[in-house]
Amino acid sequence: MTNSLTRELITIKNDILKVALDYGLDPFTTIFELVDYDELNAVASYGGFPTRYPHWKFGMEYEELSKTYAYGLQKIYELVINNDPCYAYLMKSNSLIDQKLVIAHVYAHSDFFKNNMWFSQTNRKMVDEMANHSTRIRRYADKHGETEVESFIDTCLSLENLIDTHSMYSVPKSSHSMPSMSVPDTDRITQPQVVKLKSKEYMDKYINTPGFMRKQKEKIQEAEDQKKNFPPAPEKDVLKFLIDYAPMRNWQKDILYTVREESYYFAPQAMTKIMNEGWASYWHSKILTQKVLAANEIIDFADHHSGTVAVSPGRLNPYKLGLEIFRDIEDRWNKGKFGKEYAECDDINKKRNWNLNLNLGQKKIFEVRKIYNDITFIDEFFTMEFCEKQKMFAYKLDTATNQYVITDREFEKVKKALLFRLTNMGHPHIAVENGNYKNRGELLLRHYHDNTELQLDEAIDVMKNIFLIWQRPVNILTIAEGDEKIISYDGQNVKQETI
Amino acid sequence: MIKKIDKDQARFRQIVRGKIKKELRKYMTKSEFIGKEGKNIVSIPLPQINIPRFRYGNNETSGVGQGEGEVGSPIGQGDEKEAGSQAGDQPGQHILEVEITLEELAKILGEDLKLPNIKPKGKSTIIADKHTYTGISKAGPESLRHFKRTYREALKRQLAMGLFDPDHPLIIPIREDKRYRTWRLKEVPYNNAVIIYMMDVSGSMGDEQKELVRIEAFWIDTWLRSQYKKIDTRYIVHDAAAKEVDQHTFFHIRESGGTKISSAFTLCNEIINASYNPFIWNIYLFHFSDGDNWGVEDTKKCASLLEKELLPKTNLVCYGQVKSAYGTGQFKKDLETAFPDEEKLITSEINDLDSIYDSIKDFLGTGR
């Protein structure tokens, strides 16, 4: 790459790295590239990667970014990708203080990528892998036609959130015990007959004894039952299920596989957004204010820093929330505000002035960055005191006035709303319930309803896309307009059935 | 350097273009595009081209925020619903504003309406830029590589170096062999055109009618501008007497009184005689009224003006009859009776917003 850093920036970078290492951060080797705004927009459209497979959604993203930048509505602050070595981009036109802030921020992200266990399963050579994806998909486009490949990618992208993020961290399950046919391809319902052993007629009742016949029958029945329970347990990794069992051509299977792989790669970033940004903000602030900045730079730094952690009603700023929680944890563990004794203390004044001088804060936040993700992070460290201090609230859209309205400031409800938002990265839970529904090779999906309904018209569009892959009717069990329903798409018509 | 993203962006724009084309009829009835003089870009609201996903419904939109405020106090507006759309029609759908140049819009219009390109008459002294391939150079983009020349160079080199084997005639060009086409900007004379809009602003033409004319004129402008490098526009309003006005006045003026169409035609003829030599200029006349004229005498005068003066000098004379509560629509009939076989005269009815599309096709479908 030609976009190497200037001598001045290299010095700054090395200084910051040294400070970061002294504080105990442990980042990947991080390579910074100096780019202009247009290059940054382009690379950001590709999610930070230099090469992605060809698709219009990147073009749309680029157009959007370019426009918002041109109108001065927003600019990309930092861009760093989880890879070993880590790649990060600095915008040429940023002021030196901005560059310092971004460099420190990036090192903390890099440390987080390397050490947070939820990232442990991600591919650290993703830059290369993405380039491979690009090459493969371009080859398919050359061979099978750009339009066909593009529209298949559209189909796959529509399903990209149907993965099971937790499967990354568990021992691989033994593959499903599968019925002999991957997909029963006929509508005929044939009852399999017991195959008799070959025998002379007069020997028949001795060779094919009634007991033997009964056992054979049971076996068949068992196999039939198993066919009904296919997969044996609901499969949340819908994409994997489709890759394993849907009748696709090889290149299609490969594209779906690619989309799934990229989904899994990006998932931990969505699962740790608050922590990751909080961690990075915590460190850029600490590194810069305590070690790096000269006195005359502090005001400008404060100005820029407050921009990143600004709150606006109705939008949760992960930088701010994460930063405050980390600071709160540090403070609590420094003062010993945790454990049974503290929790059971009723005296508000005593609690407020609690200080055991333990100074465990630093140790604790490093532990937190290692083993938590957003959900466990919020669940454990979003306390009532914190909620009140930070003036958190839950809001809802009031359909009558078409306005967002504060509905609650009660701790329990705020926390519940927050956790709900984070569950499954804000996506609905969908799993394959039955791959041989009605014993006709139909697909039955189940939406695990959590008091929130699906966007129905869009869900139907997704089902149409699944149909393209599964090639048999697709059904989903969900709750719509208050009733439990099975919604079906058979390739032509959408049917809703209340059950 | 061509960036990789450019290809994805081009593909995205192509999709957008397709969407606009599909919905063109709808967009043609909207007046939002208009009134941005001096700008070469219009902004078109498109429903976001999104990839469907299983996601939570909008009716349950909720979340967590931070800041001041009592329970019950509003913190922000919900997504805007498109004004005029059916109530509850997919609330909260993101609207994507797509910017598109007028040239591109004209191209889409042309493709959709199957408008023929205009065959201009005459050449003029007005100059335009033109790219022409003029020579060969040793450096250039691969897309302009001159295969034959490159081959010849490679062959020459291999022969000179003794690398050519007649039994196995393999020619491998190296970088020094490659030859590329080069181009130069050339200035060529270009055709030019003038559009003269005339409108009846007598009492019977209301705001609604003027809106129709405004939109119609916008699309006519857009198309003709894409066909000519340079276009003059002149505006004439008339009731019983005619006068030349600027664009703003043209669309906003409100007069009352009777209607003498001949007054406009006379003024129009004077303008042409004064400024636009028909041998050099492509002249387009558009006249809009509700079809009422003051007396048979005046209509006769119009017909004779058209026959003797205007039709011979112009490429096209278009009469758009806007429906109004008072108009009889007689003038259109009169014109059709007077010139049954005149190819240069086109009449069309503009009854409502929807008929703009067809009326544009009537007017511009001739390729003149």
Side-chain angles (χ1 to χ4, degrees), chain A residues 38 46 50-51 54-56 58-60 62-64 67 71 150 157-158 160-161 311 316 320 390-397 402-407 409 417-418 426-428 450-455 457-458 461-462, chain B residues 1 3-13 15 48-81 90-91 96-99:
Chain A
D38 195 41
Y46 284 138
T51 314
H55 195 266
W56 56 265
F58 303 123
M60 177 162 84
Y62 174 71
E63 182 132 341
E64 196 79 11
K67 212 185 296 172
Y71 291 151
E150 183 189 68
L157 287 176
S158 156
E160 74 177 347
N161 58 349
V311 289
L316 196 69
K320 168 80 174 166
Q390 294 294 326
K391 301 186 176 132
M392 307 294 294
F393 58 77
Y395 66 82
K396 203 164 184 171
L397 182 68
N402 194 31
Q403 272 187 331
Y404 290 103
V405 176
I406 298 178
T407 49
R409 282 192 176 274
L418 192 52
H427 300 301
D450 29 26
N451 291 323
T452 311
E453 296 188 357
L454 292 176
Q455 178 70 31
D457 48 353
E458 222 177 302
D461 287 340
V462 179
Chain B
M1 192 184 83
K3 291 172 291 150
K4 287 175 207 135
I5 196 76
D6 289 343
K7 210 186 153 200
D8 291 322
Q9 193 190 14
R11 175 68 191 126
F12 169 65
R13 298 225 56 124
I15 292 172
Q48 185 145 39
I49 304 166
N50 67 348
I51 296 169
R53 301 249 157 80
F54 281 126
R55 58 181 182 89
Y56 292 125
N58 276 314
N59 52 342
E60 316 261 352
T61 316
S62 62
V64 176
Q66 196 173 5
E68 306 288 338
E70 300 290 310
V71 168
S73 54
I75 51 168
Q77 195 68 29
D79 285 323
E80 273 176 57
K81 289 172 191 167
Q90 298 176 339
L96 185 72
E97 287 264 324
V98 183
E99 282 176 354

Side-chain angles (χ1 to χ4, degrees), chain A residues 112 116 118 271-280 282 317-330 332-333 364-383 386 411 415 418-419 422:
Chain A
F112 197 90
N116 181 273
W118 299 92
M271 289 159 75
T272 58
K273 178 83 179 161
I274 294 172
M275 279 183 80
N276 206 342
E277 294 302 355
W279 182 251
Y282 174 90
N317 183 341
Y319 294 76
K320 168 80 174 166
L321 183 61
L323 171 66
E324 293 297 345
I325 295 181
F326 270 117
R327 283 186 176 159
D328 188 54
I329 294 171
E330 187 184 19
R332 283 173 59 206
W333 261 259
K364 183 65 184 174
I365 58 171
F366 273 95
E367 178 193 313
V368 169
R369 83 95 155 77
K370 195 172 183 65
I371 55 178
Y372 284 80
N373 66 23
D374 278 354
I375 292 182
T376 53
F377 184 64
I378 296 291
D379 196 32
E380 181 137 3
F381 302 109
F382 188 80
T383 59
F386 182 84
F411 167 64
K415 186 164 178 175
L418 192 52
L419 284 173
L422 299 170

Side-chain angles (χ1 to χ4, degrees), chain A residues 134-165:
Chain A
S134 161
T135 314
R136 285 214 307 273
I137 291 183
R138 275 168 220 275
R139 199 183 303 145
Y140 294 139
D142 287 345
K143 198 166 168 192
H144 305 286
E146 276 182 20
T147 346
E148 193 172 343
V149 169
E150 183 189 68
S151 79
F152 190 73
I153 296 175
D154 288 354
T155 307
C156 295
L157 287 176
S158 156
L159 318 176
E160 74 177 347
N161 58 349
L162 301 179
I163 57 171
D164 179 9
T165 45

Side-chain angles (χ1 to χ4, degrees), chain A residues 463-481:
Chain A
M463 285 169 63
K464 288 178 182 170
N465 283 332
I466 299 178
F467 179 85
L468 290 177
I469 293 175
W470 189 249
Q471 297 185 10
R472 293 285 304 146
V474 178
N475 309 271
I476 187 166
L477 187 65
T478 182
I479 296 179
E481 287 144 9

Side-chain angles (χ1 to χ4, degrees), chain B residues 155-182:
Chain B
L155 182 63
K156 255 198 277 186
R157 181 181 48 80
Q158 288 198 357
L159 280 171
M161 291 172 76
L163 293 175
F164 185 72
D165 175 11
D167 298 330
H168 190 59
L170 193 65
I171 303 291
I172 302 165
I174 59 171
R175 205 159 64 101
E176 280 76 11
D177 296 329
K178 291 190 178 170
R179 293 293 180 272
Y180 303 88
R181 289 181 179 85
T182 56

